[in-house]
Amino acid sequence: MTLAPEHRRVLPLADHKPGRSAMTCLYRCGNACAHPAPNESENEYFGDIVAGAVAARLSRRGLLRLSALGAGAVAAGGVLSGVGTELAAAATPAAPRTPKGALTFTPVAPNTADAVTIPSGYKSSVVIRWGEPVLPGAPAFDVKKQTAAAQAQQFGYNNDYVAVIPLDRHGERALLVVNHEYTNEELMFPGVKSVADTTAEHKKIAMAAHGLSVVELERVGDTGQYRPVKKGKRYNRRLTASSKFLLTGPAAGSDLLKTKADPTGTVVLGTLNNCAGGLTPWGTVLSGEENFNQYFVGGNGAPAAEQPALKRYGIDITAAVPSGNRRWDLVDERFDLSKHPHEANRFGWIVELDPFDKNSIPRKRTALGRFKHEGGGPTISNDGHAVVYLGDDERFDYIYKFVSDKKVRRGDTKHNMTLLDSGTLYVGKFSGDSPAAEIDGTGKLPADGAFDGTGTWIPLVRGNESLVEGFTVEQVLINTRLAADKVGATKMDRPEDIERNPVDGKVYVALTNNSNRGATGAAPADEANPRNSNRHGHILTISEKHNDAAAESFTWALPIVCGDPKDASTYFAGYDKTKVSPISCPDNVAFDKAGNLWISTDGNALGSNDGLFATPVSGSEAGHVKQFLTVPKGAETCGPFITPDQKSVFIAVQHPGELEGATLDTPKSVWPDGQYARPAVVVTWRPKGDQRIGS
Ligand code: FEO
Ligand code: CA
Ligand code: CA
């Protein structure tokens, strides 16, 4: 972290964002909220997946994939030239329809139970927990005798992004793809009260507990329940902080990406802090490397000319070792920037993984820029180009969009796997349509009755041409934050998940919170971020011109301004607030087939546990936010993922029991098994009657 001297002595658990435990702040993002926000720039403030016919998938895989991603991944709004009729039909622009699939479940009340609490009439079960075997032959989990070799074959820690890809028409089998964002050593190892207590083996276990898992699942009976297959596991895979990844795209091979171990600047060991992600229309998974800054030491020893960029990414350029740093440099010196100054440049990318080929090497796609990637929201433009929406999850950082040069080709997986290597990277600029004087920072609606306005996508790079003065293409893509600062992008309140609604074609952005909005010296409220000291966050929608994901201009609006509905600063699309569930800190979003918006939260600042919520986005019920479930004490709700058949919703219960003073030996949550807390993926389904999730 870049700290002024007066900040360096911040106690590890002393300062954290409201609603999130100090321990989470320490281990998840290296106490980002305790430090000045890195953006000090002067710019304006502002399908039926049939993926598998598994046995015969090889030649037909691409075709099957493209026909499959109906539920979540393929967007509305495009004539997919060359992509195939059924997809084109699914994607043809249309006037917003009246959503079918009313959300009739009885909402769960806010609570602080050490349990997953679901609506009446539903069931839930743990699908897989931290430490359970993933690879064939992996040892059983023993929390007292864990080894790095075992962990590298077992389900990782702190599951975040969740994708579930059916392997057959009925989803009898499916691939679960999960990110493992970070580790909490105090909750993982007996006798460990802080990172200072960890041994070399503990550090190697932590490295092996990061990354991704691919786990083959089977449906249980005719229900929405799933469990890992016991035999087969032909796709099962673990990727860790030591696995091989390739850098591809325009910045691959840049001098800024070269290290002693990799003079080519194209081969990286590991992926770090993988947060959210996305499922592409061609059947691959995107995974966002988020708070990678916290894994490095020695920034003060990096070349002076490169230190400002390190600082802009939140990397400590003082001699101090940041509190909570896992000290992996002590077991792998590439995490010491004084010895390997470019190693940090090799993280902060969007990773593309082919979950169908366990021998494939995942790619870090440099064309999508480098920042604290929350995730990637893929879609297809009206004329068939791949589009990915991207959020940089930091206070006062930006929203981005990538549009590929090439078009998606139905059935051509090899071609589609090149789409994210060349294109235009944009950053968003949001302008309000109300007088600035009417945006007073309280959340009071302006006279026109809406927080809304217009916006443009400012191009940073087109193909191999930089559009930012003074920056080469490589510089834009590697130090993307600096380039975006220069072009006047709008400073946002922590842009997290961004997804396009397949029904209305709008792009939904979760802006989690920003308690520093309006603070002395910081950006004041603006119409797109209308509350100072924004503790509860909001949802922003982007309506692209001509409903085309490749458009360079748009209108935007805030349909939901989160918080306790009794709080005058909240807004729920004009819905009767007495009927709305309190919601705080929206993080991840998903859609069901009816286009209902599902929102998971991180850091509920209202005193309840985090949860999963759902609301219609149009019609008379728009804004009727209802809480679908809550997660155990200290946990955050990640995912969510609604299966294409609408019968299952998966969530990741991340960091259960991550509360002050908790350790493995003295847990503050014992979910799910009654002894100590274990991060796990949970599926919820409705066993009887209308099995559709939300009914
Ligand atoms: Fe890993 Fe932005 O949450
Ligand atoms: Ca307005
Ligand atoms: Ca997140």
Side-chain angles (χ1 to χ4, degrees):
M1 278 294 169
T2 304
L3 297 186
E6 64 273 21
H7 289 107
R8 274 186 223 140
R9 298 188 189 282
V10 171
L11 291 172
L13 302 177
D15 187 7
H16 60 100
K17 78 175 191 179
R20 179 191 275 178
S21 95
M23 188 186 261
T24 301
C25 291
L26 177 65
Y27 287 121
R28 152 90 73 83
C29 47
N31 272 338
C33 297
H35 307 323
N39 191 353
E40 297 170 346
S41 64
E42 295 297 320
N43 66 320
E44 189 188 351
Y45 289 137
F46 230 108
D48 297 306
I49 275 198
V50 199
V54 181
R57 76 176 187 91
L58 291 174
S59 61
R60 303 183 59 219
R61 184 178 67 197
L63 181 155
L64 292 168
R65 288 181 188 184
L66 260 184
S67 68
L69 297 167
V74 175
V79 176
L80 303 171
S81 70
V83 176
T85 50
E86 72 268 42
L87 240 195
T92 298
R97 311 185 232 141
T98 302
K100 294 174 185 170
L103 297 168
T104 55
F105 67 89
T106 303
V108 167
N111 66 77
T112 56
D114 193 24
V116 172
T117 305
I118 55 176
S120 165
Y122 283 79
K123 286 190 168 185
S124 73
S125 69
V126 170
V127 178
I128 188 167
R129 303 156 170 78
W130 165 51
E132 290 193 284
V134 171
L135 302 187
F141 181 63
D142 184 338
V143 75
K144 293 181 179 168
K145 295 179 183 170
Q146 182 65 319
T147 66
Q151 179 64 77
Q153 304 171 69
Q154 299 165 334
F155 200 62
Y157 201 75
N158 268 347
N159 31 221
D160 195 312
Y161 176 70
V162 174
V164 182
I165 310 170
L167 289 169
D168 54 72
R169 188 168 295 278
H170 300 292
E172 297 302 320
R173 294 220 171 188
L175 290 185
L176 171 71
V177 185
V178 173
N179 283 346
H180 302 292
E181 186 177 15
Y182 70 103
T183 48
N184 184 326
E185 284 71 358
E186 292 155 49
L187 301 183
M188 294 173 68
F189 304 122
V192 168
K193 292 182 178 168
S194 76
V195 168
D197 298 332
T198 57
T199 64
E201 184 68 7
H202 287 144
K203 294 176 175 70
K204 292 176 183 173
I205 294 169
M207 290 176 70
H210 278 66
L212 292 93
S213 290
V214 181
V215 182
E216 190 170 344
L217 304 180
E218 62 185 9
R219 187 188 292 280
V220 179
D222 188 30
T223 72
Q225 184 181 12
Y226 281 88
R227 65 190 170 206
V229 298
K230 291 197 173 66
K231 292 182 181 171
K233 301 186 176 182
R234 72 192 87 177
Y235 298 102
N236 284 20
R237 189 169 190 188
R238 274 305 323 280
L239 293 152
T240 73
S242 305
S243 305
K244 182 177 176 182
F245 290 74
L246 296 180
L247 286 156
T248 65
S254 163
D255 286 346
L256 288 170
L257 297 175
K258 292 176 180 169
T259 63
K260 278 183 208 162
D262 173 31
T264 70
T266 59
V267 184
V268 185
L269 294 185
T271 189
L272 293 175
N273 214 259
N274 300 70
C275 190
L279 186 55
T280 69
W282 50 99
T284 61
V285 170
L286 305 183
S287 175
E289 295 185 319
E290 197 188 26
N291 294 298
F292 63 91
N293 57 305
Q294 59 178 306
Y295 297 84
F296 296 92
V297 300
N300 59 314
E306 297 177 19
Q307 290 189 13
L310 294 175
K311 181 180 176 186
R312 181 67 179 84
Y313 282 84
I315 290 172
D316 198 321
I317 55 170
T318 74
V321 174
S323 59
N325 185 288
R326 295 173 178 82
R327 298 310 309 271
W328 291 357
D329 60 298
L330 299 176
V331 295
D332 188 342
E333 70 169 34
R334 67 193 168 103
F335 294 100
D336 183 345
L337 297 174
S338 69
K339 296 174 182 167
H340 304 278
H342 293 162
E343 188 67 15
N345 292 344
R346 292 143 64 85
F347 298 89
W349 300 103
I350 287 285
V351 172
E352 184 173 14
L353 169 73
D354 180 359
F356 295 93
D357 180 0
K358 67 179 179 185
N359 297 314
S360 62
I361 303 172
R363 304 316 208 239
K364 298 194 180 190
R365 301 295 190 190
T366 66
L368 277 64
R370 175 172 165 268
F371 38 92
K372 291 186 178 179
H373 280 286
E374 171 72 15
T379 187
I380 300 177
S381 73
N382 286 1
D383 63 354
H385 295 268
V387 177
V388 185
Y389 296 95
L390 303 158
D392 184 351
D393 182 7
E394 185 98 57
R395 293 166 295 162
F396 303 115
D397 260 294
Y398 309 130
I399 293 172
Y400 297 84
K401 178 171 87 167
F402 172 83
V403 180
S404 69
D405 285 337
K406 294 188 268 188
K407 294 182 180 182
V408 178
R409 275 193 215 147
R410 183 171 187 256
D412 191 344
T413 300
K414 187 176 174 190
H415 165 84
N416 293 333
M417 287 286 285
T418 68
L419 291 170
L420 304 187
D421 279 339
S422 178
T424 303
L425 181 65
Y426 298 93
V427 66
K429 182 177 179 68
F430 298 79
S431 303
D433 69 0
S434 293
E438 293 183 10
I439 309 300
D440 65 5
T442 68
K444 182 184 172 192
L445 288 171
D448 70 355
F451 296 120
D452 60 353
T454 57
T456 54
W457 293 109
I458 304 170
L460 302 172
V461 162
R462 282 191 203 276
N464 286 310
E465 179 191 4
S466 168
L467 301 171
V468 184
E469 193 180 344
F471 284 68
T472 64
V473 168
E474 293 170 10
Q475 288 168 336
V476 172
L477 297 178
I478 295 169
N479 293 321
T480 309
R481 283 183 167 183
L482 293 166
D485 291 343
K486 190 153 186 181
V487 301
T490 299
K491 294 181 171 182
M492 308 299 290
D493 285 351
R494 292 189 57 203
E496 297 228 39
D497 210 1
I498 308 178
E499 305 275 345
R500 196 172 191 217
N501 186 328
V503 174
D504 69 12
K506 291 181 185 174
V507 179
Y508 287 70
V509 184
L511 293 151
T512 292
N513 59 39
N514 184 351
S515 54
N516 271 26
R517 175 70 63 179
T520 304
D526 57 45
E527 197 161 346
N529 302 276
R531 289 185 296 188
N532 288 328
S533 304
N534 178 8
R535 289 162 52 88
H536 302 298
H538 50 281
I539 301 288
L540 179 146
T541 56
I542 296 169
S543 301
E544 305 265 29
K545 190 171 183 184
H546 303 312
N547 203 16
D548 182 5
E552 296 192 339
S553 62
F554 54 85
T555 59
W556 62 266
L558 306 188
I560 299 175
V561 181
C562 300
D564 184 334
K566 292 177 185 151
D567 174 347
S569 78
T570 60
Y571 179 70
F572 296 90
Y575 199 80
D576 179 354
K577 291 210 252 181
T578 65
K579 296 177 180 169
V580 168
S581 295
I583 180 172
S584 175
C585 302
D587 187 336
N588 301 110
V589 295
F591 301 94
D592 58 30
K593 271 189 174 164
N596 294 313
L597 170 65
W598 293 71
I599 306 167
S600 63
T601 67
D602 168 20
N604 190 324
L606 295 168
S608 168
N609 290 353
D610 275 314
L612 177 64
F613 301 77
T615 177
V617 297
S618 62
S620 60
E621 285 291 292
H624 189 182
V625 173
K626 296 202 296 187
Q627 181 147 26
F628 183 78
L629 60 73
T630 52
V631 293
K633 289 197 287 189
E636 152 185 0
T637 317
C638 299
F641 192 95
I642 299 167
T643 52
D645 66 7
Q646 310 290 291
K647 287 167 70 172
S648 319
V649 58
F650 285 74
I651 58 157
V653 176
Q654 196 192 49
H655 59 78
E658 197 166 65
L659 295 164
E660 277 63 281
T663 66
L664 181 75
D665 308 307
T666 57
K668 299 213 170 179
S669 164
V670 294
W671 185 88
D673 301 318
Q675 298 167 291
Y676 51 87
R678 269 170 102 174
V681 173
V682 167
V683 62
T684 299
W685 72 99
R686 194 159 192 248
K688 294 178 184 168
D690 183 349
Q691 291 184 291
R692 179 183 55 82
I693 288 292
S695 63

